[in-house]
Amino acid sequence: MKTIVSRTFDDAFFAMKTDSKDMLFLEGGSCRIAQQLMTDPGYVPLREDFPEYDPSCWPDIVADCSCLRDEIVQFLAGNSPPAQVRDDASSIKQAEDISLVRLKTYARANWQLTSADIELTHLCNCRCRFCYLASYENHGLQLEELQRIGSALRNAGVIFTSLTGGELFLRPDAMDVLQLFADLNFMLDIKSNGTLLDSAKIATLAQLPIFDMQISIYDIAEGFSATTQRLYPFTRVEDSIKQLVSCQVPLTLSVTVGKHNVDRLDEIHDALKRIADIAIFYSPYITPRRSGTDDGIALRLSAKEMQEKLLPFLQRTGSFSKLEPYRDCITCIHPCTAGITQVAMDPLGNLYPCLDLPINIGNVRHGDVHTLLSAETRRKIMSRFRMADMAQCLDCRVREYCDSCVGIALLENGTHTRPARHKCDVVHFFTLNDPNPKGGFA
């Protein structure tokens, strides 16, 4: 389905085509009429569109609007130049769309929300040994509540909504929820274990504005799984992957790597590649249960195991995940984007800076959603988390590639000023083993 997701900010504008994923990011005071130009490229700006500017500025405003119109017309016509950057060897390579990079930079500098993670339920048909959920209770906001909250998120500038669980497809109205967020003009990220999909659901998914659908793979055999501690319907997952690929749903497979499967990675990789030749993300990052540390973290690979077992596999299969610079530690005040460009919500309506940072901003069922989402509210919540207090991170040689994850640090250490050891091990592993590191924050 070809649509355009767009947002107008105070002095910027972002648009993305849902089919091609082409993006457009513009900055400047004239951007306030960008949406009108998207609807009607022939729109002629009026002086009353810019009441705060002196009349003497009008010729410059007209010129700016003309440039704005030209860029929008090119975007709508599909004539925007492809996003390319030069690497250290000065060879051209495809990279993350420069419009998305500029959006992220703008959002961080202006406390502009652009993404929201929404847990639709904590129900799950698996009991993975490394699961981070504290419980599997049947909670979830009703459609009417999600409609109100989704509208507030859109008005706050959120573009990307990550919809997850538990297992979101255990909700009888899961497809209605996804359609609701599509109708609200969001780009959707969907996370599922893929065990409950069928042809009808997949046909509907193919019509939604999905940025990425991530299927977590826990086993490659039908029957009881020691990982999920339940019967694992791998044949159904396999069939669903094939159908999703056939329907051209943007799809990524995700495998959590730990002591339980690190010695079987070649077998797992071969089995998944026989199903479909799509991206597979292997992550050794295992977070603790939100109720506190537990037996699940015993499955974490040590730094030595990552180096000796995981690295050769990633190199052999071409599955190494390159980390891009995440932050500029010289200029940034806060360690990550939690509460700055992103928020998260659990099935009870509790709002958090992110799913890994259990600092309750408020409850969207009982509080004013617009106030809870405001930059002022979020600044107050995040004021306690400062890079200046994290001496160990400031001295780290891979500091620009890491978000320090203050939520996991709080859960494991009781303080955000001392980073979680496992987080450090994982970031060091990916950064220091990168054959072509990108120097400096971009």
Side-chain angles (χ1 to χ4, degrees):
M1 181 175 64
K2 182 177 180 180
T3 58
I4 294 178
V5 173
S6 61
R7 296 291 184 274
T8 301
F9 308 120
D10 287 341
D11 57 350
F13 177 78
F14 177 82
M16 174 187 287
K17 294 179 180 177
T18 59
D19 56 345
S20 65
K21 304 301 187 296
D22 288 342
M23 305 178 204
L24 177 69
F25 179 77
L26 304 166
E27 286 187 78
S30 59
C31 287
R32 70 183 60 183
I33 67 163
Q35 187 59 61
Q36 291 170 282
L37 292 173
M38 290 285 290
T39 306
D40 176 17
Y43 175 78
V44 178
L46 305 173
R47 290 199 180 190
E48 48 262 39
D49 291 327
F50 305 91
E52 76 278 21
Y53 287 99
D54 187 271
S56 62
C57 299
W58 182 241
D60 291 333
I61 294 174
V62 171
D64 289 344
C65 289
S66 178
C67 293
L68 187 71
R69 176 185 289 105
D70 290 343
E71 292 199 55
I72 289 175
V73 168
Q74 287 192 49
F75 172 74
L76 293 174
N79 297 326
S80 300
Q84 296 177 324
V85 296
R86 292 188 179 275
D87 63 13
D88 292 337
S90 296
S91 62
I92 295 293
K93 65 176 183 178
Q94 288 300 117
E96 182 178 53
D97 194 296
I98 191 64
S99 293
L100 191 57
V101 174
R102 291 178 60 201
L103 170 68
K104 290 179 178 180
T105 302
Y106 172 87
R108 187 162 191 162
N110 293 277
W111 286 73
Q112 174 59 60
L113 289 178
T114 58
S115 64
D117 296 313
I118 302 175
E119 291 181 323
L120 295 172
T121 180
H122 280 165
L123 284 176
C124 192
N125 55 341
C126 296
R127 293 294 183 272
C128 298
R129 295 163 62 191
F130 46 76
C131 182
Y132 59 80
L133 292 179
S135 70
Y136 301 95
E137 296 179 6
N138 184 15
H139 298 298
L141 301 181
Q142 300 301 309
L143 274 176
E144 295 78 9
E145 295 174 306
L146 290 170
Q147 170 79 44
R148 178 173 63 88
I149 293 156
S151 296
L153 289 170
R154 181 190 60 199
N155 292 337
V158 170
I159 303 162
F160 303 94
T161 54
S162 177
L163 303 169
T164 182
E167 174 48 50
L168 72 91
F169 289 106
L170 278 171
R171 283 187 62 134
D173 62 352
M175 300 311 297
D176 294 330
V177 173
L178 296 179
Q179 188 63 59
L180 168 66
F181 280 90
D183 291 342
L184 286 169
N185 197 230
F186 289 104
M187 287 297 300
L188 310 181
D189 279 314
I190 301 173
K191 296 183 179 180
S192 169
N193 59 34
T195 62
L196 301 175
L197 295 175
D198 55 36
S199 297
K201 289 186 177 71
I202 292 171
T204 301
L205 289 169
Q207 301 303 313
L208 297 178
I210 297 175
F211 190 72
D212 181 54
M213 182 163 184
Q214 179 180 298
I215 301 293
S216 297
I217 303 296
Y218 299 124
D219 220 319
I220 55 168
E222 189 84 10
F224 181 81
S225 167
T227 300
T228 66
Q229 304 179 82
R230 294 289 188 276
L231 289 175
Y232 187 69
F234 179 68
T235 301
R236 184 170 184 176
V237 174
E238 178 180 10
D239 184 60
S240 294
I241 293 171
K242 291 178 179 178
Q243 289 188 57
L244 288 165
V245 172
S246 177
C247 291
Q248 297 183 316
V249 175
L251 185 65
T252 303
L253 304 183
S254 175
V255 178
T256 298
V257 181
K259 297 181 188 297
H260 62 294
N261 64 359
V262 68
D263 294 319
R264 299 178 57 219
L265 290 180
D266 283 305
E267 177 188 0
I268 293 170
H269 186 78
D270 290 344
L272 296 179
K273 283 296 183 180
R274 283 195 294 269
I275 299 172
D277 188 18
I278 58 176
I280 307 173
F281 178 55
Y282 295 94
S283 173
Y285 190 43
I286 295 178
T287 59
R289 287 193 186 276
R290 292 173 184 166
S291 55
T293 55
D294 67 317
D295 294 340
I297 63 174
L299 296 176
R300 290 173 171 173
L301 298 180
S302 67
K304 186 172 185 290
E305 287 172 317
M306 281 189 269
Q307 198 68 25
E308 295 180 353
K309 294 185 175 183
L310 178 57
L311 180 60
F313 162 77
L314 295 178
Q315 292 174 330
R316 186 166 57 250
T317 58
S319 303
F320 190 89
S321 298
K322 179 181 177 64
L323 295 185
E324 294 293 329
Y326 176 82
R327 63 187 178 191
D328 182 353
C329 293
I330 296 176
T331 61
C332 72
I333 298 174
H334 304 279
C336 67
T337 60
I340 298 175
T341 69
Q342 67 181 101
V343 289
M345 188 179 69
D346 70 14
L348 292 170
N350 294 309
L351 194 69
Y352 303 98
C354 83
L355 291 177
D356 288 329
L357 182 55
I359 305 296
N360 199 331
I361 298 175
N363 191 285
V364 297
R365 277 176 160 167
H366 311 302
D368 178 71
V369 184
H370 298 285
T371 300
L372 295 177
L373 293 174
S374 70
E376 181 182 3
T377 299
R378 292 181 281 117
R379 284 179 190 272
K380 289 179 180 178
I381 292 291
M382 299 307 297
S383 62
R384 60 183 284 196
F385 302 109
R386 302 184 306 162
M387 281 295 301
D389 298 327
M390 306 171 70
Q392 187 172 336
C393 293
L394 290 174
D395 292 337
C396 178
R397 58 177 168 166
V398 300
R399 60 190 180 276
E400 291 182 336
Y401 293 83
C402 182
D403 62 11
S404 297
C405 200
V406 295
I408 302 303
L410 275 172
L411 195 57
E412 296 193 357
N413 301 329
T415 175
H416 75 279
T417 61
R418 184 162 56 90
R421 182 70 259 167
H422 180 58
K423 177 72 174 184
C424 295
D425 288 344
V426 171
V427 176
H428 275 80
F429 171 76
F430 281 109
T431 305
L432 299 182
N433 286 305
D434 187 347
N436 297 298
K438 183 176 181 179
F441 178 77

